[in-house]
Amino acid sequence: MNLFDVLEEQNKQTPLAELLRPKTLGEFLGQNQMFGQNNAILNLLKSKRLFSLLLWGTPGCGKTTLARLIAKESGCKFIELSATSSGVKELKQAVEDAQSALRNDQKTIVFIDEIHRYSKTQQDALLPHIERGTIYFIGATTENPSFQVIPALLSRTQVARLNPIDPENMLKIIRKGFKHLIETYGKITLDNEIGDFIVKYANGDARLALNLVENSYFASDFKEEQRFLTMAIIEELAQSKAIKYDVQEHYDIASAFQKSLRGSDANAAIYWLAKMISAGEDPRFIARRLIVCASEDIGKADPNALNIALNAHKAVELLGFPEGRIPLAQAVEYVAKAPKSNECYMAIDQALSDIQSGQDYGVPSHLRDSHYKDAKKYGFGEGYIYSHNNPEAKQSFLPDEIKDKKYFIN
C-alpha cells in the first residue's frame, strides 16, 4: 500500500453493518429455510462442490454476505462486481484473473451484485465462461429473476430465494450492534421498546437496522459520561413513530380489517391497511386476507373480486414495499365496495358438515366411471345421460339418500 492508501484506510469510517458482517456460515443469522438440517442448498455448500447460484431477496437480507462466505468456505478467489458500475470490460478482466488462478490450482467465484441491471448482452457475456467452468457465478438481485435474468443464464444457475430477516434473528443482530458499540465507545442506557421498534422499522433489512443502531447510539443524550437513548430520539432519527403492534394487535387489527371489508366500509378498511403497513406487517399476510374475503364474503356476487385479490398478492410479491402498498389499496377499495354473498362459503361448509356427520354416501351407479373393460359388467354408467346431447333431461347427480338436498339457494 502506498502512503495515500494508508491515509485513506486510516481516515475512512467503516459502517457498523460492514464491521459486523459474519465471518463464517455459523455466524450467519436469518435464512433458516436455507440453513436447516438436510436443506439442499446447505448440503451442496457442505459438499464443497461449487455451483453457480442466483440469490434473490429483499435489500439487507444477506445476499452479499452469503456470497462472500461461500467463497471463503470453499477457498475460492472472490471477484466482486456491481452491475451499476461494471460491464463487459470488467467481466473480461475477471475472466483473465480466473484463468490465471486456475493455473495456480484455485477456482474463482465472480459475484455480481444487482445482476438485474445488466443488459441482455452483458448477461450473455457470462455464459461461455460459466459453461467452460472458467468461473463460478453468484448473482444477487432484488427483482424476480424470471423476469430480469435471461433464460440461458437462469438455466445455468441454481436460484435461492432469501427471505427478509425474521424478527427473532433481527433482534439478535440489533443486540450485536449495540454490544459492539458499547465495547468500543462506552455504555449506553436504552429504553425498553427500542429493540422492538428497530425490528419493525427495518422490516427485514439488517443493513437498515444496523444503520439506525449506529446513528442512534451517537445521537443519544450524553450526560456525565453516560449515554441515554430514548424512544423520542430514535423516532426522530427514523422519522417514524412507534406503532403498538404485538401478537394480540396482529389478530385484532386483521379482524377489524376483514370485518370492514365484509361490511363494505372502504374507508375503515384502508385505515386498518395503513395500520398494518405502518407496523411492519408482512404484505403477503394482508394480501391473503383479501383473497379470503373475496371468496368468503363476495363469492359469486362478483367473481372478479377474487382475480383482483390474487393479482394484488402477486403484485406485492413482485414489488415489495413501499410500492406494494398501492396495489393493496386498489384491491382493498374494490373488495370493500363489491356486492357481497357468502353463499359459496356456506354451501361448502354445509356439505362438509353433512359428510362429517355421517352422510357419507357412495357414487350412484349411473355416475361411476365406465371407461374400462369390466365397467359394464357391474352396470356402471348405465342410465347416464350425456348432458350436452340432452340438456333438458332430468337425472340426479347426488346420492339417492340426499337426492333433494339444496346447498345453494339459487
Side-chain angles (χ1 to χ4, degrees), residues 71-95:
K72 183 178 179 181
E73 294 278 329
S74 57
C76 287
K77 181 181 177 66
F78 187 70
I79 298 175
E80 186 170 340
L81 301 174
S82 172
T84 59
S85 58
S86 67
V88 174
K89 177 184 175 183
E90 288 76 16
L91 283 177
K92 285 181 178 178
Q93 183 60 56
V95 170

Side-chain angles (χ1 to χ4, degrees), residues 31-248:
Q31 309 312 328
N32 297 340
Q33 81 286 357
M34 284 186 64
F35 296 108
Q37 190 174 8
N38 287 327
N39 176 271
I41 297 292
L42 182 60
N43 288 344
L44 271 171
L45 296 176
K46 286 179 177 178
S47 73
K48 304 292 184 182
R49 185 166 183 84
L50 286 172
F51 57 99
S52 290
L53 182 63
L54 199 55
L55 301 171
W56 170 28
T58 55
C61 68
K63 299 184 293 295
T64 301
T65 298
L66 189 54
R68 291 177 182 176
L69 291 176
I70 290 171
K72 183 178 179 181
E73 294 278 329
S74 57
C76 287
K77 181 181 177 66
F78 187 70
I79 298 175
E80 186 170 340
L81 301 174
S82 172
T84 59
S85 58
S86 67
V88 174
K89 177 184 175 183
E90 288 76 16
L91 283 177
K92 285 181 178 178
Q93 183 60 56
V95 170
E96 288 176 11
D97 292 346
Q99 288 170 333
S100 297
L102 280 173
R103 296 184 191 110
N104 293 300
D105 197 28
Q106 187 180 33
K107 296 181 175 67
T108 298
I109 290 175
V110 175
F111 172 68
I112 302 176
D113 196 14
E114 300 187 86
I115 183 65
H116 59 274
R117 294 184 182 273
Y118 264 180
S119 67
K120 182 181 182 298
T121 301
Q122 290 169 317
Q123 292 185 38
D124 277 334
L126 285 163
L127 301 178
H129 310 299
I130 297 172
E131 194 75 29
R132 288 195 292 265
T134 307
I135 63 170
Y136 292 90
F137 161 70
I138 298 181
T141 179
T142 56
E143 305 290 334
N144 188 331
S146 297
F147 300 111
Q148 301 294 339
V149 177
I150 61 172
L153 185 54
L154 275 178
S155 73
R156 290 164 172 81
T157 58
Q158 178 70 45
V159 177
R161 186 167 186 185
L162 275 62
N163 295 328
I165 304 297
D166 60 280
E168 183 181 350
N169 280 304
M170 183 66 79
L171 197 55
K172 290 178 183 177
I173 291 169
I174 292 164
R175 287 170 177 163
K176 189 176 179 182
F178 277 119
K179 183 175 183 289
H180 174 84
L181 292 169
I182 289 167
E183 290 173 350
T184 306
Y185 300 104
K187 190 178 178 182
I188 187 170
T189 301
L190 309 174
D191 279 359
N192 292 332
E193 304 90 349
I194 281 174
D196 288 338
F197 174 83
I198 299 176
V199 168
K200 292 170 184 174
Y201 168 80
N203 195 27
D205 185 335
R207 187 186 302 107
L208 185 61
L210 288 173
N211 286 343
L212 185 55
V213 167
E214 185 173 22
N215 291 337
S216 64
Y217 179 91
F218 292 107
S220 59
D221 195 10
F222 193 69
K223 295 177 183 177
E224 299 176 359
E225 299 185 359
Q226 171 71 50
R227 292 184 179 276
F228 299 88
L229 180 55
T230 63
M231 283 301 299
I233 290 172
I234 204 162
E235 286 177 346
E236 184 180 350
L237 279 174
Q239 294 292 294
S240 176
K241 289 287 183 185
I243 306 296
K244 187 174 184 290
Y245 197 77
D246 56 21
V247 173
Q248 189 59 55

Side-chain angles (χ1 to χ4, degrees), residues 392-403:
E392 303 301 323
K394 300 294 183 183
Q395 59 181 326
S396 175
F397 296 97
L398 279 168
D400 291 340
E401 295 87 345
I402 54 169
K403 63 181 180 180

Side-chain angles (χ1 to χ4, degrees), residues 338-358:
K340 303 296 189 292
S341 168
N342 70 345
E343 194 170 347
C344 295
Y345 163 66
M346 298 295 289
I348 184 59
D349 276 9
Q350 183 60 57
L352 286 168
S353 176
D354 286 351
I355 291 167
Q356 290 162 6
S357 66

Side-chain angles (χ1 to χ4, degrees), residues 17-33:
E18 186 64 30
L19 290 173
L20 295 185
R21 280 190 191 273
K23 304 297 188 293
T24 66
L25 283 172
E27 294 177 9
F28 192 89
L29 294 173
Q31 309 312 328
N32 297 340
Q33 81 286 357

